[in-house]
Amino acid sequence: MAAEAVVAAVDVGMSVEQIAASQVGMKAIGAGLAVGLTGIGTGVAEMGIGAAAVGAIAENKDFFGLGLLFTVIPETIVIFGLVVGLLLLFL
Amino acid sequence: MGVNISAPYIYVCTRMRMRKSKLLPKEEYQRMLNMSVSEITRIVGESEYKQEIDELGTTFKGIDLIEVALSWNLAKEYQKIQEITPGTLKQFTQVYLRRWDIQNVLTILRGKMQGVPSGKIKEILVPAGSLDKVALDRMLTEESPDRIIEMLKDHRMFPVLTREYPLAKESGSFSHMENELYKHLYANIINDAKSGVKGGASFLAYIQLEIDIKNVKTLFRLRADKVDEEAREMFIPGGSLSLNDFASLNAIKDLNEFIDMIRANISNDTLHVLLDEVKAKKGGVQYIEARLTRVQLEQMEKMSKRNPFSIHPILVYLEKKKYEVFNLRALARGKESQLPSEKIVDYLVM
């Protein structure tokens, strides 16, 4: 695999160091996308739940705990993104 | 019909649902039917109306206490809702609440014409519309009705008031003016809903439902009272019925034929079930009216589930709250006049 890449890189005139650097760069972009996009997803999902939770809490304070719990459930999405990001960077 | 998924809409619609869940359940009314006025006052004082009952407890007693506390609470609630609703929802809520302006202005005009003292008139006003407490107080200090109408120069109902008031003054009856004001209000509401504002379609659907139910109620009432003249005047345009349909429905003498014609003209499943019920068992006009209101509320509930983040959840709450106040008032008044429970039940919307 790496040998093929080296052959291909030699074809376009890249050194082995350049290939290694671009691989690290690609991983970093992937990790960034994973965390960034899942972050947006979480934000969109939490918007509705958070708005409804604040509405419910405004009417009845007892909903605070439950409202908070439901609001943070979509955090799992960004955690998945974070895990994928970490795997990309450190494995 | 667009589903508006924006945070302020979700927020306010959830608040309305929470408030709706705090309204008195049917069982509570059943229990209250076996209570005296003072017991009802106590129960009311322990519920959402606590603040008003406590505040007014020193000034009013018995039935007056309940009545004034209920009106105050309703007005406070409606003003609060106008504060928290965002954007176009606020505009629609205000347009919807404008009917209270008509009621308040007519109450003041009627009171002034009959020489009722300002304090007494003030007790029955519900400052829920665009005319708040301050504006109404200013109107109450005026003695002449002409001056009161002049004060409403900037209000949307002013053209109708100036057109109809001389006639009303001459005949001594405001009923024609009242009809005209409501027709003008509905025409205005339909105009606003059709102006292409976001969410206008769902508001229009509700208004058409309300106009339909109102027209059917009027038809039943006209039948009960056996009044033929002026029927056309009471018709509100904008719903499924046309003026000609309305007039021909009113001309039908046979109840079964009348009900079949309404069925053919208005398509609404819940209404059809009620009409079959009326056909089978003849209830009094009061009972039919309360049931028709129930039909309207049920239909609105359905609409609010179909459009969870629209004007519908707000309107459902506003209407339900209004009928809770009406029910409690009917209960207290009925008990005060020592009506039997079976008779009071006919007046309750539950």
Side-chain angles (χ1 to χ4, degrees):
Chain A
M1 182 76 183
E4 283 165 18
V6 170
V7 174
V10 170
D11 284 348
V12 293
M14 277 172 89
S15 68
V16 178
E17 290 76 33
Q18 277 175 322
I19 298 164
S22 80
Q23 276 179 342
V24 174
M26 284 298 179
K27 275 184 183 173
I29 291 174
L33 282 175
V35 178
L37 292 178
T38 49
I40 292 172
T42 300
V44 171
E46 280 183 1
M47 179 190 74
I49 305 173
V54 173
I57 295 163
E59 292 299 326
N60 186 353
K61 302 267 180 298
D62 297 344
F63 274 94
F64 181 76
L66 207 58
L68 191 69
L69 179 75
F70 282 133
T71 310
V72 298
I73 282 177
E75 287 294 324
T76 47
I77 305 172
V78 78
I79 292 171
F80 292 146
L82 188 71
V83 170
V84 170
L86 291 175
L87 285 176
L88 276 173
L89 287 182
F90 299 110
L91 278 184
Chain B
M1 286 182 198
V3 177
N4 298 292
I5 306 192
S6 78
Y9 275 54
I10 299 175
Y11 166 76
V12 81
C13 291
T14 315
R15 281 193 79 161
M16 291 306 118
R17 282 206 188 86
M18 289 290 293
R19 284 186 184 214
K20 197 176 75 188
S21 68
K22 286 188 206 161
L23 294 176
L24 294 173
K26 193 177 172 182
E27 298 76 46
E28 197 73 18
Y29 293 126
Q30 302 280 17
R31 265 181 53 209
M32 281 189 198
L33 277 170
N34 303 318
M35 292 178 184
S36 66
V37 175
S38 57
E39 280 172 314
I40 293 175
T41 316
R42 191 176 53 79
I43 295 275
V44 170
E46 284 167 3
S47 62
E48 295 296 309
Y49 303 88
K50 186 176 188 314
Q51 199 191 337
E52 283 76 19
I53 295 272
D54 288 350
E55 258 175 51
L56 297 163
T58 48
T59 335
F60 298 96
K61 284 276 163 296
I63 186 87
D64 290 337
L65 175 61
I66 293 201
E67 289 233 358
V68 181
L70 291 173
S71 314
W72 277 38
N73 182 277
L74 189 68
K76 187 186 81 180
E77 198 75 7
Y78 281 7
Q79 297 291 353
K80 179 82 194 158
I81 290 167
Q82 287 186 51
E83 274 171 36
I84 60 172
T85 43
T88 48
L89 292 188
K90 190 194 207 88
Q91 188 194 328
F92 290 149
T93 314
Q94 283 171 341
V95 171
Y96 166 82
L97 288 176
R98 216 179 289 138
R99 68 194 60 199
W100 291 97
D101 289 346
I102 298 183
Q103 188 179 320
N104 288 335
V105 168
L106 282 171
T107 310
I108 294 179
L109 288 176
R110 283 186 172 130
K112 291 284 174 193
M113 293 281 272
Q114 288 163 12
V116 181
S118 300
K120 273 267 166 247
I121 304 176
K122 199 179 167 184
E123 278 173 26
I124 47 173
L125 295 179
V126 184
S130 64
L131 298 168
D132 57 2
K133 260 189 195 146
V134 185
L136 290 173
D137 276 347
R138 261 213 312 273
M139 284 165 67
L140 277 172
T141 53
E142 284 296 340
E143 276 313 312
S144 105
D146 299 79
R147 289 276 302 137
I148 293 174
I149 290 174
E150 221 164 274
M151 288 172 86
L152 292 163
K153 248 196 332 285
D154 301 324
H155 202 279
R156 273 170 103 165
M157 65 174 150
F158 184 68
V160 184
L161 275 177
T162 42
R163 193 181 71 216
E164 298 295 333
Y165 178 65
L167 284 169
K169 195 175 168 187
E170 211 172 280
S171 62
S173 152
F174 283 98
S175 60
H176 177 71
M177 184 161 109
E178 190 171 355
N179 288 336
E180 288 300 312
L181 281 170
Y182 279 111
K183 272 187 220 170
H184 179 248
L185 173 83
Y186 281 113
N188 260 334
I189 293 181
I190 291 176
N191 254 343
D192 281 5
K194 278 187 177 161
S195 62
V197 192
K198 191 172 110 186
S202 35
F203 190 44
L204 188 66
Y206 157 71
I207 289 300
Q208 282 171 339
L209 168 73
E210 190 185 310
I211 294 177
D212 278 349
I213 297 285
K214 252 203 155 86
N215 281 333
V216 174
K217 272 187 195 169
T218 314
L219 280 168
F220 271 108
R221 218 179 288 168
L222 283 168
R223 287 183 70 80
D225 294 348
K226 310 235 179 329
V227 201
D228 286 330
E229 75 269 29
E230 290 180 0
R232 280 169 172 266
E233 207 178 272
M234 291 175 198
F235 170 72
I236 300 168
S240 329
L241 292 176
S242 71
L243 180 56
N244 286 336
D245 293 339
F246 186 84
S248 56
L249 272 166
N250 192 39
I252 299 173
K253 291 280 171 270
D254 180 50
L255 181 72
N256 285 344
E257 201 185 325
F258 170 72
I259 286 173
D260 288 338
M261 275 292 278
I262 296 184
R263 274 184 79 111
N265 276 305
I266 301 173
S267 55
N268 177 333
D269 294 339
T270 343
L271 179 67
H272 290 177
V273 173
L274 167 69
L275 289 175
D276 289 340
E277 221 176 88
V278 175
K279 220 172 176 182
K281 172 177 83 97
K282 281 176 193 147
V285 69
Q286 275 308 332
Y287 169 76
I288 297 175
E289 255 186 59
R291 287 282 286 120
L292 277 169
T293 312
R294 193 65 244 162
V295 166
Q296 183 187 342
L297 291 176
E298 275 168 27
Q299 189 67 24
M300 285 171 74
E301 284 270 9
K302 275 189 203 161
M303 284 155 78
S304 85
K305 278 172 189 146
R306 228 173 286 147
N307 304 307
F309 306 117
S310 65
I311 186 73
H312 289 152
I314 302 174
L315 290 174
V316 170
Y317 175 67
L318 292 174
E319 284 283 295
K320 286 208 157 175
K321 177 80 189 174
K322 183 174 88 184
Y323 286 111
E324 179 181 278
V325 166
F326 280 10
N327 283 346
L328 288 173
R329 193 175 289 159
L331 258 170
R333 275 269 165 228
K335 285 284 159 193
E336 178 79 0
S337 337
Q338 282 159 357
L339 284 176
S341 300
E342 306 84 62
K343 209 157 182 70
I344 302 175
V345 172
D346 282 353
Y347 287 84
L348 302 183
V349 180
M350 55 183 191

